[in-house]
Each structure stands twice: as structure tokens, then as C-alpha cells.
């Protein structure tokens, strides 16, 4: 049994935004510097960005990567807040499972820390987690996101998690790889948007909903 659980945020606790939301936010960031970017460059900076690629793109447009990235993250967090307020980015129905688990819990997200914080406040979930870590609005934050272990390790330290008894729940290969890199077990959560996905990393467990956690950790009713 595990006594600490780390949760990815997007696609695990709350639904993911349409990619167009990020494309539009990124385009606004470029336009803020007076640049009319190529669609392929907007796409590269919008998604699960590769820091080298971001630097290469910025060099081409004569932009400071850190300045563009800060603006991109600011636009992305504002756009996501709007999606949350409009009910398009919303909690999954099984989210209450988290409250009933008798374990220490933390969120480890590659989304902006500010976005995670807004979600927790808006959804009245602050007390459902013992700690939460999103990404800093900087290129350093991009380098440190999963599959790197930086935020995983910070979260484990914050909730005093024993690696032998810690589980990472995620919907992406980067979650599973971050867990492997940190030496902890992983559970791949195969929600609807991952129906056909074959993870490149073999998870320790596979779940179809958060209810599957009841078989892996204790509940407060035990
Ligand atoms: Mg995710």
C-alpha cells in the first residue's frame, strides 16, 4: 500500500483545454513583441515545449527567450482562467476520491503554478491536497518540468513521502518517466482522451478512473 500520492493536474484532476486556447495565447505573446510568427513556431512554443527549440525560434525573431516565455505563460494562465470560469476546463466527476484517501497528497503539474493555484481556489480544493507544485513562469521552469524530477522531489519533500511508498498518478508519458526518474511507482490514468494511447513507459498500474486508487491506498473509512 502507498501512503503518499502525487497527482498530475491536467487530464487527471481537471479536463485539458482545447489546444487552440494555447495557440491563441502564444500568438498574443509574440504579437506583444510586435512579431507576426509562423504557425509552426506558435505551435512549438504552445505545446510541451522543448527549451532548445524555444531558444532557436526566439533567436530567429530576435526575441529574448525568457521574456517571450514569461509573456507566453502569462497569456496561457489568463486564457486558462477564462476556460475555467466558462466551465470548459472543469474537474472530473471522480475528484472526490482524492478527499477520501487516507494518504498524503500533492499535485505536481507542468502547468503554471499560478494556474494550479487559481484552479484550487476556484474549485474550492485547497484543503484536498497537502501541497501543490506548478511550474515557474520562466525557461528554468520549462527545464525543470516533468520528466525532470525537480518538482516531483520538491513535492515529496513537502509531504515527507517515502519513495518506496509513493505513487505518481498521471495521464502522460512525461508523468510516468518522471516517476521512473524519481524512483517511485506510477499509475497511468486512462481517461477518455487517452483511450488509444500506448505509453512508451510501462506504468506500475493502470487505472480507468480515480476510483481505482481504492485498491492501492487506504481510505479514511478504513
Ligand atoms: Mg496531464
Amino acid at each position: 500500500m502507498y501512503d503518499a500520492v502525487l497527482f498530475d493536474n491536467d487530464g487527471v484532476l481537471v479536463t485539458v483545454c482545447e489546444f487552440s486556447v494555447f495557440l491563441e495565447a502564444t500568438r498574443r505573446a509574440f504579437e506583444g513583441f510586435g512579431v507576426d510568427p509562423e504557425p509552426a513556431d506558435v505551435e512549438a512554443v504552445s505545446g510541451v515545449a522543448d527549451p532548445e527549440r524555444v531558444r532557436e525560434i526566439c533567436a530567429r525573431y530576435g526575441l529574448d527567450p525568457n521574456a517571450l516565455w514569461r509573456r507566453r505563460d502569462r497569456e496561457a494562465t489568463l486564457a486558462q482562467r477564462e476556460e475555467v470560469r466558462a466551465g470548459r476546463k472543469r474537474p472530473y466527476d471522480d475528484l472526490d476520491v482524492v478527499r477520501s484517501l487516507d494518504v498524503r497528497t500533492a499535485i505536481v503539474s507542468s502547468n503554471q503554478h499560478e494556474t494550479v493555484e487559481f484552479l484550487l481556489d476556484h474549485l474550492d480544493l485547497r484543503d484536498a491536497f497537502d501541497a501543490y507544485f506548478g511550474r515557474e513562469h520562466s525557461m528554468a521552469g520549462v527545464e525543470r518540468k516533468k520528466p525532470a524530477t525537480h518538482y516531483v522531489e520538491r513535492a515529496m519533500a513537502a509531504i515527507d513521502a517515502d519513495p518506496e511508498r509513493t505513487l505518481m498518478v498521471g495521464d502522460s508519458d512525461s508523468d510516468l518517466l518522471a516517476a521512473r526518474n524519481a524512483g517511485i511507482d506510477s499509475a497511468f490514468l486512462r481517461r477518455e482522451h487517452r483511450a488509444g494511447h500506448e505509453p512508451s513507459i510501462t506504468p506500475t498500474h493502470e487505472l480507468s478512473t480515480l476510483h481505482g486508487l481504492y485498491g492501492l491506498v487506504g481510505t479514511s473509512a478504513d
Side-chain angles (χ1 to χ4, degrees):
M1 294 286 251
Y2 302 100
D3 55 21
V5 182
L6 307 180
F7 293 91
D8 172 44
N9 183 61
D10 299 278
V12 169
L13 305 175
V14 295
T15 58
V16 292
C17 287
E18 294 289 332
F19 194 54
S20 60
V21 170
F22 297 103
L23 290 173
E24 284 160 26
T26 301
R27 178 169 290 283
R28 279 195 295 279
F30 275 105
E31 286 169 356
F33 292 99
V35 166
D36 180 19
E38 294 292 328
D41 295 333
V42 174
E43 197 172 330
V45 176
S46 298
V48 186
D50 166 8
E52 278 315 304
R53 184 83 200 280
V54 174
R55 289 193 188 94
E56 179 266 310
I57 289 167
C58 286
R60 231 183 316 120
Y61 292 109
L63 297 173
D64 170 6
N66 276 306
L68 177 73
W69 194 266
R70 270 197 303 276
R71 192 139 189 174
R72 177 262 191 217
D73 269 350
R74 184 73 194 143
E75 293 288 354
T77 200
L78 292 175
Q80 288 180 93
R81 283 185 203 188
E82 201 43 52
E83 292 299 292
V84 173
R85 288 196 194 96
R88 288 186 292 270
K89 184 175 182 63
R90 55 189 183 278
Y92 285 104
D93 292 343
D94 56 5
L95 192 51
D96 280 347
V97 167
V98 175
R99 289 186 190 276
S100 64
L101 301 175
D102 189 21
V103 292
R104 295 186 300 284
T105 56
I107 298 172
V108 182
S109 175
S110 297
N111 210 328
Q112 300 88 19
H113 188 75
E114 208 179 315
T115 305
V116 175
E117 200 151 66
F118 174 83
L119 271 162
L120 292 178
D121 284 341
H122 188 85
L123 303 173
D124 200 17
L125 281 170
R126 277 267 191 150
D127 64 343
F129 298 91
D130 298 308
Y132 57 94
F133 290 86
R135 186 171 53 68
E136 305 143 81
H137 292 203
S138 64
M139 289 298 286
V142 183
E143 310 265 10
R144 290 168 174 166
K145 69 182 165 61
K146 294 172 285 187
T149 59
H150 178 85
Y151 296 110
V152 175
E153 285 167 357
R154 284 185 65 185
M156 288 174 67
I159 63 170
D160 196 21
D162 174 351
E164 298 282 316
R165 297 164 64 85
T166 301
L167 179 69
M168 157 77 86
V169 181
D171 69 322
S172 297
D173 292 19
S174 63
D175 300 314
L176 307 179
L177 188 52
R180 176 182 286 183
N181 290 341
I184 61 175
D185 284 1
S186 60
F188 175 61
L189 182 60
R190 189 182 289 284
R191 294 210 187 268
E192 210 171 307
H193 68 290
R194 292 299 196 203
H197 183 67
E198 280 313 317
S200 58
I201 305 290
T202 307
T204 319
H205 310 278
E206 181 168 322
L207 310 173
S208 53
T209 72
L210 292 177
H211 290 100
L213 287 171
Y214 288 140
L216 301 174
V217 304
T219 68
S220 46
D222 286 350

